[in-house]
Amino acid sequence: MMGTENRGRMQRDTLEISAIWEDEIVLSENYEDISDNVRNVSVWNTEAVYEIANETLQKYYEGVFDMVTVGDLFCSCYLKCIAQKEYSDAYGQTKLEILGTIYEYFCRANARKSVVQNESEGRRLIEECGLTWAGTTYYDSQYYYKCMEMQKNLGMLCDEICDEWGMRGLEFGEIESHSRFRPVGGMRFHGVFVWAQMKDNYPCNQYGLKDERMEPPEHFVYLYRNHLKEEERGAVERLGARMKERLRKAVPGEEHCLWRSFLLSGDRNYHNGMSYLLEGNIQDARDEKLYCDAMDFLANFRLYRVNGCVEYLHACSL
């Protein structure tokens, strides 16, 4: 909570939030650089706050910052932006509106950076096997849940700030529905994932997710490639072997794990934009609930074939 002691430290642009986290903030050169940027923010500079949000969440997904550090920088941004009493007269913004904008920027950065991290993982897997990334869809649900966890914690921070400052609280749904980032995917993982898929592929309306609100199984990894030449088959099979080994090391055990693959070369069959893996037999699954959950979410993908396809699916329940 932000108590009297914390308010007295506003001149140093720091904030302790002991009610939510108990870990100490890990200071580093990266933290000091971004903290300096926070101190240099004028009374209300949305461009500077947007840059701070992106830098902060970039370091979080790189593993440099933890959630505590992100929270500290988020609150420091708010305190800095409302520190001078002229904020409302000069900029027509109330404290609550300023907090809402900071929340919007941090959530947007959170969604963008999580999607980028997800894609980087898939690209690395593909390119390590000598294949090209073009036409590839990669989805690892760990990034969806990591993004959701961060957004939830940013919302909790806003609630704490509103309680302490005697404000009525933010309408998070309203902020999302009116976000300036709606044309480029909005503030959530699936929105940005779909936008990136449509931006990078053609025809754009044949990629992404049918229902962005649908949640994936907690341990769900899917790789799809919209083409396969017969001379690439060896590299693609190595890719499958690497994925299978890597994922089973991360989540050991066969009983509650599902692995499915499908390779097709030289076929232009559109196949109604659906996965071939949906045609599998449930009787082969060790865990029927896991199988049904994975297939339900798999059916949510929009898929397009150029010439053959590659599909690898791994799902686990713990």
Side-chain angles (χ1 to χ4, degrees):
M1 293 287 289
M2 291 184 292
T4 305
E5 180 182 355
N6 293 325
R7 289 190 182 129
R9 298 159 75 183
M10 283 179 60
Q11 293 180 351
R12 292 191 293 169
D13 295 325
T14 60
L15 181 68
E16 179 183 353
I17 307 179
S18 58
I20 300 176
W21 297 298
E22 296 178 355
D23 299 329
E24 293 184 359
I25 295 171
V26 178
L27 299 181
S28 65
E29 291 183 4
N30 298 116
Y31 178 85
E32 292 299 330
D33 290 343
I34 298 176
S35 185
D36 285 342
N37 291 340
V38 172
R39 283 191 283 271
N40 291 330
V41 172
S42 61
V43 180
W44 180 227
N45 186 326
T46 56
E47 182 178 346
V49 173
Y50 183 68
E51 290 300 320
I52 290 166
N54 276 281
E55 291 174 18
T56 301
L57 271 301
Q58 176 72 35
K59 296 304 178 185
Y60 174 71
Y61 282 98
E62 288 176 352
V64 178
F65 290 172
D66 59 13
M67 198 171 290
V68 180
T69 308
V70 175
D72 175 69
L73 291 167
F74 176 89
C75 293
S76 294
C77 275
Y78 175 71
L79 291 173
K80 178 62 178 178
C81 289
I82 57 94
Q84 298 185 34
K85 64 181 180 180
E86 301 97 324
Y87 72 92
S88 60
D89 294 336
Y91 298 92
Q93 293 276 316
T94 67
K95 292 176 183 176
L96 189 64
E97 288 170 336
I98 288 174
L99 179 61
T101 299
I102 296 172
Y103 171 79
E104 180 187 2
Y105 285 177
F106 269 75
C107 284
R108 169 62 183 181
N110 178 44
R112 284 187 67 244
K113 300 306 180 181
S114 58
V115 170
V116 168
Q117 194 79 3
N118 172 83
E119 182 178 298
S120 297
E121 179 181 296
R123 184 186 292 267
R124 189 163 51 249
L125 282 167
I126 284 279
E127 293 179 349
E128 283 177 354
C129 293
L131 298 164
T132 59
W133 171 252
T136 302
T137 294
Y138 184 80
Y139 183 99
D140 187 335
S141 65
Q142 71 164 310
Y143 295 108
Y144 169 85
Y145 284 105
K146 189 171 183 177
C147 179
M148 291 291 289
E149 181 184 25
M150 176 57 73
Q151 184 163 358
K152 179 180 178 181
N153 277 278
L154 292 173
M156 290 171 59
L157 277 174
C158 290
D159 289 342
E160 291 285 336
I161 290 171
C162 288
D163 287 345
E164 193 65 28
W165 288 79
M167 297 186 291
R168 59 179 172 81
L170 291 174
E171 296 289 343
F172 299 119
E174 284 293 307
I175 292 173
E176 286 194 40
S177 63
H178 294 92
S179 172
R180 70 207 73 196
F181 300 111
R182 284 180 300 159
V184 289
M187 298 164 53
R188 289 182 177 265
F189 182 90
H190 279 167
V192 178
F193 175 82
V194 169
W195 174 74
Q197 287 287 302
M198 295 174 68
K199 176 176 65 72
D200 295 338
N201 293 287
Y202 180 85
C204 62
N205 63 345
Q206 298 296 328
Y207 293 85
L209 299 172
K210 299 171 187 174
D211 183 358
E212 295 178 16
R213 298 167 299 179
M214 189 175 186
E215 289 201 331
E218 286 193 21
H219 302 280
F220 177 98
V221 180
Y222 178 58
L223 186 146
Y224 173 80
R225 194 165 179 257
N226 65 13
H227 60 286
L228 172 62
K229 297 178 181 179
E230 191 57 37
E231 55 266 32
E232 296 176 315
R233 186 173 288 268
V236 167
E237 290 175 349
R238 287 196 299 274
L239 169 65
R242 285 191 180 189
M243 283 186 63
K244 192 174 183 180
E245 180 63 22
R246 174 176 165 274
L247 293 166
R248 286 186 172 170
K249 281 183 178 179
V251 187
E254 296 285 337
E255 183 178 354
H256 299 292
C257 285
L258 174 71
W259 171 262
R260 290 288 184 273
S261 64
F262 185 87
L263 307 181
L264 178 68
S265 60
D267 189 341
R268 294 183 180 272
N269 181 19
Y270 179 61
H271 198 60
N272 297 321
M274 301 291 286
S275 168
Y276 281 102
L277 300 179
L278 296 171
E279 300 174 356
N281 192 338
I282 192 172
Q283 294 178 352
D284 297 334
R286 291 184 173 92
D287 187 326
E288 289 188 2
K289 183 180 184 305
L290 172 64
Y291 180 88
C292 292
D293 289 346
M295 293 302 111
D296 282 348
F297 191 73
L298 179 60
N300 196 32
F301 283 86
R302 286 193 175 98
L303 306 174
Y304 185 81
R305 285 167 185 77
V306 176
N307 194 348
C309 69
V310 176
E311 292 190 72
Y312 290 120
L313 169 65
H314 185 270
C316 288
S317 60
L318 299 181

